[in-house]
Amino acid sequence: MTTDCWRLDSFAPTLVLAATDARLPEVVYWGAPLPKGCDLGAVTAAHPMDVTGGMLDANPPLSICPEADRSFPGQPGLALRDAQGHALRPRLRLGEVEEDRDRLVIRCADADLGLSYVTRIAIDPDTHILTLSAEIESDTPIIVDWLAAPVLPGPQLSDEMIDMAGRWIGEFRPQRTPWSSGIRLREARTGRSGHEHFPGLIVPARGATNTGGAVWALQYGWSGGHRMVAEELPDGRRQIQFGHASATELSPVTRAATGPLLATFSGAGLNGCAIAFQRHIRDRIVQWPDPDRPRPVHYNCWEAVYFDHDVDTLKQIATRASALGAERFVLDDGWFGRRDDDTSSLGDWWIDERKFPDGLGPLIDHVQGLNMSFGLWFEPEMINADSDSFRAHPDWALGPRDQLEGRQQRVLDLTREEVRDYLFDRIGAVLRDHAIDYIKWDHNRLLPYPDAAQARGIYALLDRLRAAHPQVEIESCASGGGRIDAGILARTHRVWLSDSNDAAERLRMQHEAALFLPAAITGSHVGPRRCHTSGRIHDIRFRAWVAAQRHMGFEMDPRELTEEEAQVLTRVTAWWKANRDWTMTADIHRLDSADDAVIAEAQIAREGDRFVVFAGQAATTRQILPRPLTLAGLDPAALYRVALANAEDLGPASRGPLALKDGPAELPGAYLMTHGLHLPRAFPDTIWVLEGTRL
């Protein structure tokens, strides 16, 4: 029996793979760093489990692609049929392995079936993220029902897993599921990542918190619908699989590939994995048009005017938004075709001369005269039956003629080259003829059925548009957070986390989304006084500071603001601008609050020399006074000066003396992380902002 071993390392994790007798490799270790001189043969020899009665004579390997033909008792990593529909059961043999310090390419084949399998695994030594992918090629067309990215083992000393559920205006809701015998399966079959099924999974070891303990985490980079399997086998082993939603290759193919699976391990709690993802998404995945440009304060007119576009009114709004500190003006839905509501004109990407008799030029000139750039809303993947485009090309719509519509619209078939050409030409003409540096790219309807080729079509269109207009930044919006994943972020630069501008909802959503997403790409807007999606009224201080946690913007009619509200918003916006050079590259540490009414995070500069804490009072406390808030990520031996950045927001609930109310406090990092800070007593829907500097 011969065994080959390989390892990949960064400062945080080690991954060890081993292959016995030229069979498919399996992951024999994934966790805390192993010593550099560690004997991988000994690690591999220690990996097999015992055998007892009522079992096979040996345990079928939990390889990177578990094979049904090896008597594997769980979910296989590959499910194929020939073109006639007969099941295929590959027996893959190890071939060539390309190895360097940070990368492995493993090639396997089944010569009898004319099938090859390639897995690529790389580790980023700075972000500590593993990127894994798999692809297959066949000499003859085959039907691919399932192809998993390289399969990783689930940890044994873990009682539960955490994934994200959600809905429109209620995204990123964590749910904890106990490990038990059998499968935890989640599948997004709407043709996009989905509000309901963010493609991520976190597996904490027993006792892990935000700030301590071992944690494993994964997220899948594919925008067309995914499948996640977390399975505990009868023998106790656990496996985690991610891939495209099953059976979404609708025709026989000779090649299929997974998206990239991002995976990481941390010995420092959930925050260690979160920070790895934040850095990798921001610094490796997103391709910024101008990396040195500060993130501009955003203004979007949607909740101010909806479809009612009037040039003079829009100019007034732009003037007011600029005075508040906005640096980009985005014209949302309603500027094209005869778009007076959501029943018509999608697909007719030419300017509505009724609303803009002189074109967009006068509005853009006005916006630029205010030192703001200009952005525009598109929903390119969709079409209304009531549109000139549909009347000319009804065959361009995906799905049957009698399908259920969503928002009175249908999906364009982006697998067709002529459809992509049409969209490229129409969108390109608008971008070519106007000074536009931003697209809000929306996606408001589920697909009539999931189709992997449709996702590849949108990737191709985005790649082509970005190559032709490299200065344009693109936001991924899908009724809010319906398409957020590393695949779309490789082609876009911002996500609209939710259509909800309710600050209380945003406080919670942003806190949970920080497990996977950085601040710089997460749009957050100051909404109207009365939220349009919840009906709740929140004070401008709460709305403004919650938006300042992420990429800040406004989305309301600024003319509704009182003088006092305008002063508050201007002050908070000025604070955000003064600090964005470091907060937009800071690490977000979710804080373990002793008071479950408080949702808090610390954003710590990469150099560690400064931080800001946002502590939101989300509800009333169970006791009379809030418990101390312990910080995280600081140097325990360093001294920090901590000040209340929004002391002017102190209200009647706080009546006593308090260190933070009297001025800056100078305290050791060990004290801040062990004892914590007493926050002023506050009513619900209040947020405290603490600024810290290392002395």
Side-chain angles (χ1 to χ4, degrees):
M1 185 171 66
T2 60
T3 301
D4 297 296
C5 304
W6 308 270
R7 68 182 288 173
L8 292 170
D9 290 275
S10 78
F11 175 76
T14 293
L15 182 79
V16 179
L17 297 99
T20 301
D21 290 340
R23 291 196 290 267
L24 272 171
E26 62 179 310
V27 174
V28 298
Y29 180 83
W30 177 31
L34 295 178
K36 292 298 181 185
C38 179
D39 182 352
L40 298 186
V43 171
T44 301
H47 180 69
M49 302 168 64
D50 200 357
V51 175
T52 188
M55 299 179 67
L56 296 173
D57 294 338
N59 290 300
L62 201 172
S63 72
I64 57 174
C65 185
E67 296 170 284
D69 204 49
R70 302 283 186 187
S71 300
F72 185 69
Q75 171 73 27
L78 192 58
L80 306 176
R81 290 176 288 150
D82 65 21
Q84 288 72 46
H86 302 122
L88 300 175
R89 294 185 178 86
R91 295 176 63 86
L92 296 167
R93 302 292 292 175
L94 183 65
E96 179 186 16
V97 178
E98 301 173 26
E99 179 182 12
D100 62 27
R101 189 182 65 174
D102 300 324
R103 184 180 66 96
L104 283 172
V105 179
I106 301 169
R107 304 181 188 278
C108 305
D110 183 327
D112 294 336
L113 291 180
L115 187 75
S116 64
Y117 170 91
V118 180
T119 188
R120 291 176 171 82
I121 306 175
I123 194 165
D124 190 298
D126 298 319
T127 66
H128 316 307
I129 293 292
L130 284 161
T131 302
L132 309 96
S133 64
E135 65 183 71
I136 56 172
E137 289 191 6
S138 175
D139 294 344
T140 58
I142 54 174
I143 299 169
V144 180
D145 291 324
W146 173 242
L147 171 61
V151 175
L152 292 168
Q156 295 288 298
L157 191 62
S158 171
D159 298 322
E160 62 183 5
M161 62 194 88
I162 305 169
D163 53 27
M164 293 291 170
R167 57 171 172 81
W168 178 67
I169 67 170
E171 292 86 345
F172 283 92
R173 296 182 181 275
Q175 49 191 11
R176 294 173 178 261
T177 305
W179 281 100
S180 61
S181 182
I183 288 178
R184 164 71 169 161
L185 184 149
R186 299 196 69 191
E187 189 157 23
R189 299 198 62 80
T190 62
R192 60 188 190 185
S193 320
H195 302 82
E196 311 82 1
H197 303 289
F198 176 79
L201 180 69
I202 298 170
V203 186
R206 186 177 299 163
T209 65
N210 281 323
T211 57
V215 180
W216 294 256
L218 311 92
Q219 59 174 306
Y220 187 59
W222 174 248
S223 310
H226 61 276
R227 187 178 197 235
M228 183 275 288
V229 174
E231 181 178 24
E232 182 172 298
L233 303 176
D235 57 33
R237 290 178 295 174
R238 294 166 173 174
Q239 65 161 334
I240 300 169
Q241 297 188 7
F242 272 93
H244 296 4
S246 59
T248 53
E249 294 291 351
L250 303 184
S251 302
V253 296
T254 57
R255 182 186 179 276
T258 70
L261 176 62
L262 309 183
T264 193
F265 166 83
S266 167
L270 276 71
N271 284 342
C273 292
I275 290 165
F277 283 142
Q278 292 165 24
R279 292 181 179 183
H280 197 80
I281 293 287
R282 184 189 61 236
D283 301 338
R284 300 290 189 268
I285 300 295
V286 175
Q287 303 298 308
W288 302 101
D290 181 359
D292 297 326
R293 180 187 181 185
R295 304 297 286 139
V297 177
H298 208 81
Y299 176 77
N300 183 292
C301 71
W302 176 241
E303 293 195 7
V305 299
Y306 290 97
F307 299 99
D308 188 13
H309 289 195
D310 171 76
V311 174
D312 289 339
T313 300
L314 291 168
K315 286 181 178 179
Q316 293 174 24
I317 290 173
T319 299
R320 187 72 169 130
S322 175
L324 294 166
E327 297 165 305
R328 172 188 284 148
F329 181 95
V330 179
L331 185 66
D332 212 289
D333 193 354
W335 58 269
F336 55 93
R338 299 184 67 85
R339 182 78 163 172
D340 297 327
D341 55 33
D342 62 6
T343 65
S344 75
S345 300
L346 286 177
D348 296 346
W349 299 113
W350 46 83
I351 297 161
D352 186 348
E353 295 180 353
R354 300 171 305 149
K355 299 176 182 178
F356 300 94
D358 299 312
L360 294 178
L363 178 59
I364 294 175
D365 290 344
H366 180 79
V367 166
Q368 292 186 323
L370 297 167
N371 293 318
M372 291 194 291
S373 64
F374 189 82
L376 198 59
W377 181 95
F378 287 91
E379 193 171 1
E381 298 158 77
M382 305 294 162
I383 194 166
N384 288 119
D386 182 9
S387 67
D388 291 345
S389 301
F390 183 84
R391 284 183 282 271
H393 302 283
D395 56 315
W396 283 5
L398 189 68
R401 290 288 183 94
D402 61 349
Q403 65 183 265
L404 289 172
E405 292 191 342
R407 207 184 185 223
Q408 292 81 48
Q409 64 195 50
R410 302 180 181 215
V411 181
L412 283 169
D413 186 351
L414 292 177
T415 68
R416 300 175 62 157
E417 186 175 3
E418 67 269 28
V419 175
R420 297 197 302 271
D421 287 345
Y422 169 78
L423 292 172
F424 176 81
D425 291 341
R426 293 308 312 164
I427 297 169
V430 176
L431 297 178
R432 182 192 65 233
D433 296 342
H434 301 87
I436 293 170
D437 77 338
Y438 187 86
I439 291 175
K440 179 181 176 181
W441 188 294
D442 215 338
H443 185 289
N444 283 306
R445 190 220 190 275
L446 311 180
L447 269 62
Y449 48 79
D451 182 356
Q454 180 77 3
R456 291 192 290 269
I458 185 56
Y459 284 175
L461 177 59
L462 282 167
D463 290 345
R464 189 177 174 191
L465 281 167
R466 287 188 59 229
H469 306 279
Q471 81 286 357
V472 175
E473 186 176 321
I474 302 174
E475 175 186 285
S476 174
C477 176
S479 299
R483 186 163 63 188
I484 298 176
D485 60 79
I488 205 70
L489 281 168
R491 297 160 174 88
T492 59
H493 313 89
R494 190 183 199 250
V495 296
W496 187 227
L497 195 64
S498 177
D499 276 348
S500 174
N501 281 319
D502 183 299
E505 281 292 308
R506 279 286 182 151
L507 177 69
R508 179 198 60 76
M509 278 189 272
Q510 290 170 185
H511 183 73
E512 307 299 358
L515 288 166
F516 299 98
L517 304 175
I521 63 109
T522 306
S524 186
H525 295 173
V526 182
R529 186 182 300 118
R530 179 181 291 275
C531 177
H532 291 187
T533 55
S534 70
R536 288 193 287 201
I537 295 174
H538 286 125
D539 186 89
I540 188 64
R541 294 161 182 81
F542 186 52
R543 286 183 281 148
W545 282 115
V546 169
Q549 289 183 285
R550 299 295 184 265
H551 182 201
M552 188 178 189
F554 319 145
E555 188 172 342
M556 62 2 205
D557 190 337
R559 297 172 300 176
E560 80 170 16
L561 298 173
T562 66
E563 183 176 347
E564 180 191 12
E565 288 174 327
Q567 290 174 354
V568 170
L569 183 51
T570 302
R571 181 175 68 247
V572 176
T573 304
W575 179 93
W576 189 85
K577 287 181 177 179
N579 290 277
R580 64 184 164 187
D581 63 321
W582 69 270
T583 58
M584 291 297 98
T585 58
D587 297 328
I588 304 171
H589 294 249
R590 291 160 30 110
L591 299 181
D592 289 318
S593 176
D595 192 330
D596 57 12
V598 175
I599 297 175
E601 67 179 35
Q603 297 180 9
I604 302 179
R606 292 290 292 269
E607 298 77 13
D609 59 337
R610 61 193 308 181
F611 65 84
V612 60
V613 171
F614 295 92
Q617 186 76 35
T620 56
T621 57
R622 287 181 293 187
Q623 62 285 341
I624 295 174
L625 297 173
R627 302 185 191 278
L629 178 67
T630 53
L631 308 191
L634 306 180
D635 180 349
L639 190 66
Y640 294 88
R641 178 180 289 117
V642 186
L644 189 61
N646 59 335
E648 62 275 1
D649 295 346
L650 287 163
S654 177
R655 301 171 59 186
L658 198 67
L660 286 174
K661 292 165 62 174
D662 295 337
E666 296 185 0
L667 296 164
Y671 178 90
L672 294 170
M673 293 190 293
T674 303
H675 180 278
L677 289 166
H678 289 286
L679 300 175
R681 180 70 166 83
F683 294 137
D685 298 338
T686 301
I687 192 166
W688 297 121
V689 183
L690 313 178
E691 292 181 288
T693 54
R694 187 172 59 196
L695 300 176

